[in-house]
Amino acid sequence: MSTGNVRPGGRTARVREAVREATLAELADKGYEGLTVEGVALRSGVHKTTVYRRWGSVEGLAADALDLAGGEPWPIPDTGTIEGDLRELAHLVLTGFADPEMGPVSTAFISASGRNPVVARALHAFFAARHEQSAILVVRAVERGELPEDTDAADVVRTAVAPLYYRLFVSGEPVDTAVADRAADAALAAARAGVFRTVGPGHA
């Protein structure tokens, strides 16, 4: 999960960005449980009444931060092979959660999504945007003849990274590059075997 910086023009956009940055910083420092409108207003320099009027609550702040992040470009790997691309994609997820600044923020978003439907919807949209961006990996692989033409790109991406999220947030098992590589390789094997084809037996 990446939440890189953008600086759109206009006062409204600058206020939104300042509040987003403050929201991320508060999440990194205090987690979702410690996120408050007052804390974000103080850190961003935006008046509390403005924050309440535009975002309404901590749920609104978190959802808007995810909305902004979902529209930002992601460093999609391009190694020349689908095997290398999927492994690098899995490594991106791994290093993102290991990052001392953004790792706690990503963890806070996922934790909050399990308890708050507003954040859950925003996180769903965030991941949908990431899957859409990542689809190019599969498109290139199909063009190179590495995968069947009717391979579902989003399913390949989901399968490559899902074991990492399971270990991080469900089982609590260790996660390292070897685990990431195995997850990517398993997704690739399934894709090559036609498991993710969108037509054919068992598919509409």
Side-chain angles (χ1 to χ4, degrees), residues 108-155:
F109 279 131
I110 291 174
S111 176
S113 71
R115 303 190 301 273
N116 188 281
V118 174
V119 180
R121 286 192 296 271
L123 189 64
H124 174 80
F126 172 86
F127 280 123
R130 284 290 182 260
H131 294 156
E132 183 177 351
Q133 290 183 41
S134 302
I136 187 62
L137 302 182
V138 176
V139 172
R140 291 194 303 243
V142 170
E143 291 173 348
R144 291 191 296 255
E146 296 177 292
L147 294 176
E149 290 187 6
D150 55 349
T151 299
D152 188 308
D155 271 352

Side-chain angles (χ1 to χ4, degrees), residues 53-103:
R53 184 172 64 250
R54 287 197 56 188
W55 286 272
S57 64
V58 293
E59 291 86 356
L61 289 167
D64 194 51
L66 281 167
D67 181 58
L68 281 168
E72 294 169 355
W74 204 29
I76 303 300
D78 188 4
T79 65
T81 68
I82 186 61
E83 179 180 11
D85 287 351
L86 286 175
R87 284 190 169 201
E88 285 299 311
L89 186 69
H91 292 176
L92 274 175
V93 173
L94 188 63
T95 56
F97 282 105
D99 183 270
E101 180 180 348
M102 294 316 303

